[in-house]
């Protein structure tokens, strides 16, 4: 099991931002990434739909030998990670908006959060805000429909993307936030545009490195860290993988040829 792969998944390609952090922290691990592009986005889906996709992809990754799974999607974590932990007997690591470090570090007493509608309205997210912000820190939570799709289509610097960023960051700037929590794994790929809009007085907070540290900890305490020095990556995409190759190559940034495969897990007909 030590040299079995790590499974990772997202509703689309945003989870590659977390995969970069995992690769930096664990260079010897083989990684299987699953981008559920055929069923994206999750952000405006109901909770039951998201849970079913999490279980389907979890079963797929375990069938490929995954020794642990990273849920590289805030929405999937909010709605599906508990169900996955109840169902599967391997480590399941989720990702959540970094409310705790942002609330602890703010100097203005105001933290902005951009995320999907489903993440921001989830009980898991609301509990994070209550627990770590309370009444001392104001949290300005802004749902951002359409922004994930800008990353998926490779429109990082388009006019459409810039207008959406201006719209969504306006209430956060107006409130005087000095920390911006990136509550969707797609958003780190828009960091340059976000920084341009916010200016130098606002820090972007991305939880990807914390997820990678937790994964390493969970593997280490179970004796599951790979003894290899260089790991491999395989990218599975639901739907037509080749349609997404150019964007994946840009997001992953490797000069080596990608092992990209179309292999969606069997889906319940009620979800199609």
């Amino acid at each position: 099991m030590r040299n079995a792969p790590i499974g990772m998944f997202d509703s689309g390609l945003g989870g590659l931002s977390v995969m970069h952090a995992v690769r930096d922290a664990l260079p010897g691990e083989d990684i299987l990434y699953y981008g559920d592009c055929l069923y994206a986005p999750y952000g405006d889906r109901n909770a039951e739909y998201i849970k079913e996709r999490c279980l389907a992809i979890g079963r797929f990754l375990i069938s490929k030998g995954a020794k642990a799974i990273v849920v590289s999607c805030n929405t999937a974590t909010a709605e599906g990670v508990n169900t996955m932990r109840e169902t599967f007997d391997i480590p399941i690591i989720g990702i959540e908006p970094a409310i705790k470090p942002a609330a602890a570090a703010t100097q203005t007493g105001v933290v902005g959060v951009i995320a999907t509608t489903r993440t921001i309205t989830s009980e898991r997210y609301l509990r994070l805000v209550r627990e770590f912000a309370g009444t001392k820190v104001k949290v300005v939570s802004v749902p951002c429909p359409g922004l994930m799709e800008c990353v998926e289509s490779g429109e990082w610097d388009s006019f459409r993307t810039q207008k959406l960023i201006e719209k969504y960051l306006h209430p956060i700037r107006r409130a005087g936030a000095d920390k911006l929590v990136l509550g969707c794994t797609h958003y780190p790929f828009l960091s340059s545009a976000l920084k341009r809009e916010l200016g130098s007085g606002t820090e972007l907070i991305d939880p990807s490195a914390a997820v990678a540290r937790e994964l390493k900890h969970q593997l280490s305490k179970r004796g599951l860290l790979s003894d290899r020095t260089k790991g491999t990556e395989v990218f599975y995409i639901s739907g037509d993988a080749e349609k997404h190759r150019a964007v994946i190559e840009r997001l992953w940034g490797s000069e080596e040829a990608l092992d990209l495969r179309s292999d969606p897990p069997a889906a319940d007909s009620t979800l199609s």
Side-chain angles (χ1 to χ4, degrees):
M1 283 291 287
R2 292 178 65 92
N3 291 324
I6 295 164
M8 303 184 66
F9 77 92
D10 179 46
S11 60
L13 306 179
L16 294 174
S17 64
V18 185
M19 188 170 162
H20 276 291
V22 169
R23 174 50 75 224
D24 289 343
L26 296 163
E29 300 288 346
D30 290 345
I31 302 174
L32 309 178
Y33 180 85
Y34 196 99
D36 200 19
C37 298
L38 185 63
Y39 294 92
Y42 288 175
D44 299 311
R45 301 286 195 175
N46 63 52
E48 201 56 37
Y49 182 100
I50 296 166
K51 288 177 185 177
E52 289 296 329
R53 293 308 303 151
C54 288
L55 290 176
I57 296 168
R59 287 191 291 268
F60 174 83
L61 291 170
I62 289 171
S63 77
K64 298 296 182 182
K67 62 185 176 184
I69 294 176
V70 179
V71 185
S72 316
C73 173
N74 287 270
T75 301
T77 297
E79 301 294 358
V81 75
N82 288 340
T83 301
M84 292 186 73
R85 287 171 177 161
E86 292 165 1
T87 305
F88 307 125
D89 61 358
I90 63 173
I92 308 291
I93 291 86
I95 186 169
E96 294 180 322
I99 302 295
K100 181 179 180 179
T106 179
Q107 298 297 307
T108 64
V110 182
V111 168
V113 181
I114 54 175
T116 67
T117 302
R118 177 56 62 182
T119 293
I120 282 177
T121 58
S122 70
E123 179 52 37
R124 197 179 189 96
Y125 174 80
L126 297 174
R127 188 182 71 247
L128 284 173
V129 174
R130 288 194 302 267
E131 183 175 354
F132 297 116
T135 58
K136 295 181 180 180
V137 174
K138 179 180 180 181
V139 178
V140 182
S141 305
V142 181
C144 302
L147 211 52
M148 170 260 198
E149 288 86 347
C150 292
V151 175
E152 292 281 312
S153 61
E155 295 181 57
W156 302 350
D157 297 306
S158 71
F159 177 78
R160 171 185 172 229
T161 302
Q162 188 57 46
K163 297 307 290 184
L164 284 175
I165 287 173
E166 290 175 8
K167 174 185 175 182
Y168 294 142
L169 293 187
H170 178 70
I172 292 171
R173 290 185 63 184
R174 186 175 57 195
D178 63 345
K179 307 295 177 187
L180 178 67
V181 175
L182 305 182
C184 173
T185 56
H186 286 77
Y187 301 164
F189 293 113
L190 299 173
S191 291
S192 295
L194 293 168
K195 288 176 181 177
R196 282 198 304 269
E197 182 63 23
L198 288 170
S200 59
T202 304
E203 178 188 6
L204 306 188
I205 299 183
D206 172 12
S208 297
V211 172
R213 288 194 298 271
E214 177 63 15
L215 171 63
K216 186 174 183 177
H217 171 70
Q218 292 297 330
L219 293 178
S220 178
K221 76 177 186 178
R222 291 170 171 81
L224 292 176
L225 287 172
S226 172
D227 56 15
R228 298 189 181 113
T229 56
K230 181 175 175 56
T232 62
E233 302 92 25
V234 179
F235 301 84
Y236 292 96
I237 303 297
S238 61
D240 183 358
E242 286 303 320
K243 186 172 72 173
H244 301 277
R245 180 177 288 277
V247 174
I248 295 170
E249 288 177 344
R250 187 178 175 193
L251 293 174
W252 186 238
S254 173
E255 295 182 358
E256 299 178 8
L258 299 184
D259 187 347
L260 182 61
R261 308 180 189 183
S262 297
D263 199 349
D268 190 309
S269 60
T270 61
L271 301 180
S272 56

